[in-house]
Amino acid sequence: MDIYSMMLTVFLVLNIILAVFVIFLERRDAGATWAWLMVLFFIPLLGFFMYLFFGQNLTRRKMFQWEDRKKIGIDELLNNQIRGIKEKDFHFRNEIIEKYKDLIYMHLVNNDAVLTQDNEVRIFTDGKDKFNSLVEDIISATDHIHLQYYIFKRDNLGKSLITLLTEKAREGVKVRLLYDELGSRSLHKRAFKELIAAGGEIEAFFPSRLHFINLRINYRNHRKIAIIDGRIGYVGGFNVGDEYLGLNPKFGYWRDTHLRIRGSAVHSLQTRFILDWNQASHRHDIFYAPEFFPLCESQDSVGMQIVTSGPDSEWEQIKNGYIKMISSARKSIYIQTPYFIPDASLLDALKIAALSGVEVNIMIPNKPDHMFVYWATYSYIGEMLKVNANIYIYENGFIHAKTLIVDEKVSSVGTANIDVRSFRLNFEVNAFIYDQDVSKELTESFKEDVQLSTNLSAGDYRNRSLKIKLKESISRLLSPIL
């Protein structure tokens, strides 16, 4: 046997061993298992290396720990809320919050998502408005600034933020910035040289151990969080970069959804940031300080839970929250998402809602930023057209919003798309909002976007070309691992 035959035999044996590992040890979703087996057996050598880069499973690994959470009474508060709802003596501030107590209870039990009922919410759909507001809040900061973004680009917007953060650090404000290394792959810590010299701290999530090679391509921190002095929080879809201001000619206007929050929900965002920061940090761990969790100053009464999910968890918390919301729908469902690749459970929930007479409205972009994901999205859209869902193709640039509204009473805004990557592979964060005014405002924004969209009919979809059908079929087959 020559050396090449021996190497081929070794690779084939490794391929079989890996296939057995995928089936019997990883305990993956059946769709993802079959997709990986197809990759391994049809392209054995390349498939082996693809699995090393894309196929690792982090489920049930304890990655995020912060013992100091006991000092702010999170566990006691969670137990009291769970007990109160079970024993029916919990005080809900209004009937809308009480209406969704089952959803609230699920998030309490499965995600430690504290319910807060004293929040004030401002909605941003335009990047310039969002960043103007964030800059104003940063300028007003007196104690600390915590920023976390999946993508942080060193372009005009990124440079201006770094300059401002450096000025604040020189004033004595504690500045911490966490970015995802793969999402921000063009960024290097050299960009923060002056900020670090001024006392700022910078960390990268899941950094590469080898230059230009990151074995955790699939498991990225997709969260976008900002906390100013523990009193103001931001969460939503906007990253940091000029394209999010609508300045990239490829995408044009960038339509997204982001929230500015005042109230006790900011404490939940703060806790999430600290957990993520301490996982990434090797020298600058955050310990409890009362200034991180000041008394709430909001006079409003918006009910909210901050829900997170990731591959370290056995549960798909945000997806389960979506399904629970969809199942509660009686009149309407509004969804805006750049990618629509639901798993069987979410797709069935939407179909059942539509078949039950609920008005289902879904808005997606008219252009791809990831080609396979785009055509997989169209294949699932075709299924929703069969149950008479209203499908809108946004034409005024690129829509990146991750928004779900049910019956104009409960809504979710955050970083999680309607796809397998957000539900199982990425670390995400969403605000689940129990408030009629906020939900109606989000609905009105959707309806305004309809005026800038094309309504895709079932007839138009049936008449698509053979080439598009082929693209959809291939992309649909790979959708469990996209």
Side-chain angles (χ1 to χ4, degrees):
M1 183 182 290
D2 60 35
I3 185 68
Y4 296 109
S5 298
M6 185 179 297
M7 288 178 62
L8 180 60
T9 301
V10 169
F11 276 117
L12 289 175
V13 170
L14 286 174
N15 221 53
I16 293 171
I17 292 172
L18 185 56
V20 172
F21 178 80
V22 170
I23 294 172
F24 294 106
L25 298 180
E26 287 276 304
R27 301 295 178 107
R28 294 175 176 273
D29 168 78
T33 297
W34 280 111
W36 275 118
L37 288 176
M38 183 185 70
V39 170
L40 289 169
F41 281 108
F42 280 92
I43 44 175
L45 181 58
L46 179 60
F48 177 80
F49 288 103
M50 286 176 66
Y51 186 85
L52 290 179
F53 278 86
F54 296 100
Q56 304 169 67
N57 196 337
L58 300 184
T59 303
R60 293 180 293 280
R61 295 186 189 180
K62 292 184 178 180
M63 296 175 51
F64 303 98
Q65 298 183 32
W66 187 48
E67 291 299 321
D68 283 1
R69 70 181 242 158
K70 296 176 183 176
K71 296 181 180 179
I72 56 175
I74 291 178
D75 293 341
E76 182 181 0
L77 183 56
L78 283 167
N79 290 333
N80 288 339
Q81 291 191 350
I82 291 170
R83 179 199 55 76
I85 293 176
K86 284 180 69 175
E87 297 180 5
K88 300 181 180 180
D89 64 356
F90 187 85
H91 175 65
F92 296 98
R93 285 203 176 181
N94 59 61
E95 61 180 14
I96 296 296
I97 302 175
E98 185 172 10
K99 175 180 173 64
Y100 294 98
K101 62 184 177 184
D102 290 350
L103 174 59
I104 291 167
Y105 183 84
M106 183 182 76
H107 287 320
L108 283 167
V109 172
N110 291 333
N111 195 238
D112 292 350
V114 172
L115 171 67
T116 56
Q117 303 184 81
D118 58 356
N119 300 289
E120 170 191 323
V121 175
R122 182 179 175 191
I123 300 169
F124 296 101
T125 59
D126 178 86
K128 293 178 182 177
D129 292 340
K130 181 261 178 174
F131 283 104
N132 285 340
S133 176
L134 179 62
V135 165
E136 289 178 6
D137 288 330
I138 288 174
I139 290 171
S140 300
T142 59
D143 185 78
H144 64 274
I145 299 165
H146 291 164
L147 301 180
Q148 175 178 352
Y149 285 96
Y150 172 63
I151 296 173
F152 194 110
K153 293 188 175 180
R154 194 171 177 268
D155 51 17
N156 290 332
L157 177 60
K159 288 178 182 177
S160 65
L161 268 180
I162 292 171
T163 299
L164 177 57
L165 293 171
T166 303
E167 292 173 2
K168 297 304 295 185
R170 286 172 179 156
E171 292 175 10
V173 175
K174 190 62 182 178
V175 176
R176 295 179 177 92
L177 171 62
L178 174 63
Y179 63 90
D180 184 271
E181 184 167 277
L182 191 67
S184 306
R185 52 189 169 272
S186 62
L187 189 66
H188 193 278
K189 284 192 177 180
R190 288 192 299 267
F192 304 104
K193 183 178 178 181
E194 292 186 8
L195 175 55
I196 293 171
E201 295 176 358
I202 312 297
E203 294 290 354
F205 188 87
F206 276 179
S208 305
R209 294 182 179 178
L210 300 172
H211 195 48
F212 295 122
I213 299 177
N214 197 313
L215 294 179
R216 285 172 168 167
I217 291 178
N218 255 347
Y219 304 112
R220 307 315 310 181
N221 198 318
H222 196 238
R223 296 167 183 146
K224 298 100 178 166
I225 297 173
I227 303 104
I228 312 297
D229 290 342
R231 302 180 186 277
I232 298 170
Y234 288 80
V235 65
F238 284 109
N239 288 293
V240 175
D242 289 348
E243 68 191 79
Y244 304 100
L245 303 178
L247 301 178
N248 186 323
K250 175 184 175 182
F251 295 109
Y253 181 74
W254 192 275
R255 168 66 174 86
D256 220 320
T257 305
H258 218 93
L259 305 178
R260 179 186 186 269
I261 303 166
R262 289 183 68 95
S264 297
V266 178
H267 294 176
S268 297
L269 290 174
Q270 183 81 284
T271 302
R272 182 70 262 170
F273 175 86
I274 292 172
L275 286 165
D276 287 3
W277 177 271
N278 286 355
Q279 192 284 329
S281 172
H282 298 292
R283 296 179 294 123
H284 304 119
D285 281 8
I286 298 176
F287 299 97
Y288 170 79
E291 51 267 30
F292 292 149
F293 302 94
L295 291 175
C296 169
E297 296 179 347
S298 170
Q299 301 299 315
D300 213 332
S301 59
V302 175
M304 185 182 300
Q305 287 176 292
I306 301 299
V307 178
T308 62
S309 64
D312 60 315
S313 173
E314 185 176 357
W315 301 99
E316 298 169 22
Q317 291 95 334
I318 293 175
K319 185 198 80 172
N320 290 343
Y322 285 169
I323 292 173
K324 186 71 173 173
M325 286 174 62
I326 291 165
S327 300
S328 74
R330 295 295 177 266
K331 295 180 180 179
S332 62
I333 296 170
Y334 293 89
I335 294 174
Q336 288 178 313
T337 177
Y339 322 124
F340 184 74
I341 309 179
D343 67 1
S345 60
L346 184 57
L347 186 62
D348 284 346
L350 284 168
K351 286 180 177 179
I352 290 168
L355 291 169
S356 301
V358 175
E359 180 188 326
V360 177
N361 305 277
I362 302 172
M363 188 176 293
I364 59 172
N366 73 336
K367 62 187 74 174
D369 63 341
H370 301 292
M371 189 62 68
F372 279 110
V373 176
Y374 180 75
W375 292 115
T377 289
Y378 258 77
S379 74
Y380 286 101
I381 286 299
E383 291 202 35
M384 292 307 303
L385 283 168
K386 292 178 182 178
V387 293
N388 296 320
N390 299 315
I391 306 299
Y392 301 100
I393 312 299
Y394 186 74
E395 303 288 356
N396 188 41
F398 187 76
I399 189 160
H400 190 248
K402 302 97 167 49
T403 307
L404 170 62
I405 314 138
V406 168
D407 293 341
E408 299 187 27
K409 293 178 180 178
V410 61
S411 49
S412 181
V413 174
T415 67
N417 300 304
I418 307 288
D419 66 1
V420 174
R421 179 165 298 278
S422 281
F423 295 152
R424 298 190 192 132
L425 301 178
N426 283 342
F427 298 92
E428 307 281 3
V429 57
N430 272 44
F432 282 74
I433 308 159
Y434 312 99
D435 186 82
Q436 193 160 13
D437 290 340
V438 171
S439 297
K440 282 187 174 181
E441 185 176 348
L442 289 167
T443 303
E444 288 305 311
S445 293
F446 186 104
K447 291 178 179 179
E448 289 173 9
D449 293 329
V450 167
Q451 305 305 314
L452 303 169
S453 303
T454 300
N455 191 342
L456 179 65
S457 70
D460 291 337
Y461 182 79
R462 283 194 299 269
N463 293 330
R464 68 200 189 284
S465 68
L466 182 63
K467 182 179 179 181
I468 290 177
K469 291 178 182 179
L470 182 62
K471 289 179 181 179
E472 286 184 17
S473 297
I474 295 172
S475 300
R476 176 70 172 260
L477 196 60
L478 294 174
S479 64
I481 58 175
L482 286 176

